[in-house]
Every structure is written in C-alpha cells, then in structure tokens.
Amino acid sequence: MPIPEDVTGEEIDKDVRQELQSLPKTLAEDVAKNLVMVARLIDEDPEGAYAYSRIALRLASRVAAVREAAGFAAYANQKYAEALAEFRAARRMTGTVELWPVMADCERGLGRPEKALDMAGAPEVQKLDKAGQVEMRLVAAGARRDMEQLDAAIVTLQSPELASNSVQPWTARLRYAYADALLAAGREGEARDWFAKAVEADRDGSTDASDRLAELDGVEFVDVFDASDASDAGDEGEDGEDGDSAKAEADTGTAVGTDADADADIEIEVDDDKD
C-alpha cells in the first residue's frame, strides 16, 4: 500500500512512539506510517484503514498499539470477531481495561447482547474513567434494545451524566441515545425534547440529532428549482444575470415547514476475557 509523501510517522501519539522503540528504527518508521494511515482513513475509508492495519499487524504483531489499531479498523468494517480477537490481544499485553466497552459492543455485533450485559456488570467497569463508564452505559442500553427491552434501555441511560447541564465529550451521544430509545418506545414528545438537547451539545456534528429533530417537527428540505429551471434561468435571466449565478441560486435549498404540531412532544464489543 502506498504511503503519501506527507506522512512521516511522527504524527502518532507519543505513547505509541515509545512502544515502537522496541523495534529496529526502519521497521518502527514503517509501522508508524501505516498506523498514521489507519487513523487518517478509518472514518472516511474504513476499508483502506483496514488494509493499512493489516500491514502494520504483519510487521509488528507483538506491539499492543498495533493490535489495538487493527481491532478498531476491523470494528469499523463490522468484522466483529476479528476486532474482538485483536482487542483481547491488546488487553493481554497492556493489562488495562480501556477497551472493555468496545469489546462488549463487539459481543453485540456478534449477536450476543446477553454477553455484553454481563460485561456491563463486571468489576472491570468500575476501573474505567468517566468517559469509559458512559460508553459502557451506552453499550448496555444498546444490548437491552437488541433484546427488545425498550423500557430497560431507557432506564439504563438515566444517569447523573444524562441529567447534568455540563457539556462533556460524551454528552451529545448520551442524549441522542436516550432520545432515540424514547422514540422507539413511542414517547415522541419526550424524544423531541431530548433530540433538541442533543443538538445543543453536539458542537462537532457527531450525531444527526438536528436531522432527527427536523423530521419530528415535520421539516423537509427541497430545491426551489430543478436543474432544467436553473438552466433556463441562466439562459434567459434578465438584468445581465449569467447562467452560473442563476444556477448557484437555484441549487440553494429552502426549508419548508409542514402543518405538523411544533409542540409535539449509541460501540464496540469486548470479550469478558479476564486473563
């Protein structure tokens, strides 16, 4: 796999760089570059990220950071069994519990929600930081929904973190999951309120809460003109307006509200391997 010239390998985290120091210098550089590509592509091109992760794994399978990166790349491609195996390996190497929530979500992906719930109640959860505990709560709620236990999923998400007015990195996703569970249970009014709260907290657009809220409010986006109208406007526009300008205006969407009542009232799987 080609590595872009702008990738040096220095972009990786300091902790990962330290792990790679156990390798010969040239090999460490090659592994680092492939890990950079995994991180760069995993959201927009998960298949490409997976391909680079396999190269890194072939070069340095005894490095925990490489096993973890391979796990996330497999997870992004819904290769849950493979992801779980890599996460287990990384956990054995490091002895940490950071991957516990994503391992539990892999169990969900493999159709084993009961196993994910068992992991949610394991002692390892108490060793997670706040972000990890919130992630574990999201996974447990997802497992409840997998088992069609909607009320239990809603209760699982009710927590001090959900009630807090403080916006944390996990706030938008937690509120979104709660709103989605309420909507699935037929509690549309409450769901709308929580989707609105998710929008307030979603500063980086990590969810589609705004779209879900618009849908509940009966808002849809349409083009004012179709392509042929835009072309005609460009050819026949008055006051010297050229075709390109008319086309730019024609392509601008307009929000159109319906008569719907405006007041109408989220992983990763880990094995419970305890080596």
Side-chain angles (χ1 to χ4, degrees), residues 91-130:
R91 180 169 173 260
R92 282 194 295 269
M93 292 175 178
T94 62
T96 66
V97 296
E98 294 176 0
L99 295 171
W100 197 253
V102 70
M103 290 171 66
D105 205 45
C106 286
E107 294 290 356
R108 286 186 58 212
L110 290 169
R112 301 193 292 245
E114 299 88 350
K115 187 67 175 294
L117 287 176
D118 287 343
M119 295 179 67
E124 283 81 355
V125 176
Q126 302 306 315
K127 301 176 184 178
L128 294 168
D129 60 14
K130 180 61 68 176

Side-chain angles (χ1 to χ4, degrees), residues 3-257:
I3 302 290
E5 292 183 1
D6 65 318
V7 174
T8 66
E10 294 297 319
E11 300 89 342
I12 61 175
D13 292 341
K14 180 177 64 175
D15 292 343
V16 176
R17 214 160 36 237
Q18 290 178 343
E19 282 192 61
L20 296 180
Q21 287 180 356
S22 61
L23 303 173
K25 184 177 179 180
T26 301
L27 179 59
E29 291 176 352
D30 289 342
V31 173
K33 290 178 181 179
N34 280 282
L35 292 180
V36 170
M37 294 305 299
V38 173
R40 177 178 289 189
L41 298 176
I42 196 163
D43 291 329
E44 298 180 358
D45 181 12
E47 291 185 0
Y50 179 76
Y52 281 106
S53 76
R54 301 308 296 177
I55 295 174
L57 192 60
R58 187 173 67 249
L59 295 173
S61 62
R62 295 185 180 182
V63 175
V66 171
R67 303 303 290 266
E68 183 175 331
F72 278 112
Y75 179 81
N77 284 275
Q78 300 183 0
K79 299 177 182 291
Y80 299 115
E82 185 176 324
L84 183 55
E86 297 301 340
F87 289 141
R88 286 175 176 170
R91 180 169 173 260
R92 282 194 295 269
M93 292 175 178
T94 62
T96 66
V97 296
E98 294 176 0
L99 295 171
W100 197 253
V102 70
M103 290 171 66
D105 205 45
C106 286
E107 294 290 356
R108 286 186 58 212
L110 290 169
R112 301 193 292 245
E114 299 88 350
K115 187 67 175 294
L117 287 176
D118 287 343
M119 295 179 67
E124 283 81 355
V125 176
Q126 302 306 315
K127 301 176 184 178
L128 294 168
D129 60 14
K130 180 61 68 176
Q133 290 179 4
V134 170
E135 192 67 35
M136 192 72 248
R137 189 178 292 276
L138 288 167
V139 172
R144 290 292 186 188
R145 291 190 62 173
D146 293 342
M147 300 167 68
E148 300 185 355
Q149 298 175 0
L150 292 178
D151 289 340
I154 290 171
V155 171
T156 297
L157 292 168
Q158 292 171 345
S159 61
E161 294 80 19
L162 179 67
S164 175
N165 290 324
S166 174
V167 175
Q168 302 295 334
W170 59 77
T171 302
R173 292 178 57 239
L174 185 58
R175 292 177 180 179
Y176 182 95
Y178 189 60
D180 195 46
L182 288 168
L183 188 60
R187 296 161 61 174
E188 185 173 312
E190 294 172 85
R192 187 207 175 281
D193 291 342
W194 281 98
F195 275 126
K197 292 179 180 179
V199 170
E200 293 175 358
D202 195 1
R203 296 168 178 171
D204 59 358
S206 61
T207 74
D208 65 346
S210 60
D211 292 339
R212 300 292 299 277
L213 181 60
E215 182 179 351
L216 286 174
D217 285 345
V219 177
E220 58 182 312
F221 292 89
V222 299
D223 286 332
V224 177
F225 302 109
D226 62 22
S228 61
D229 291 335
S231 177
D232 292 342
D235 293 337
E236 302 174 9
E238 299 179 359
D239 300 326
E241 181 179 38
D242 61 27
D244 288 341
S245 177
K247 181 66 166 58
E249 291 182 7
D251 286 344
T252 302
T254 300
V256 178

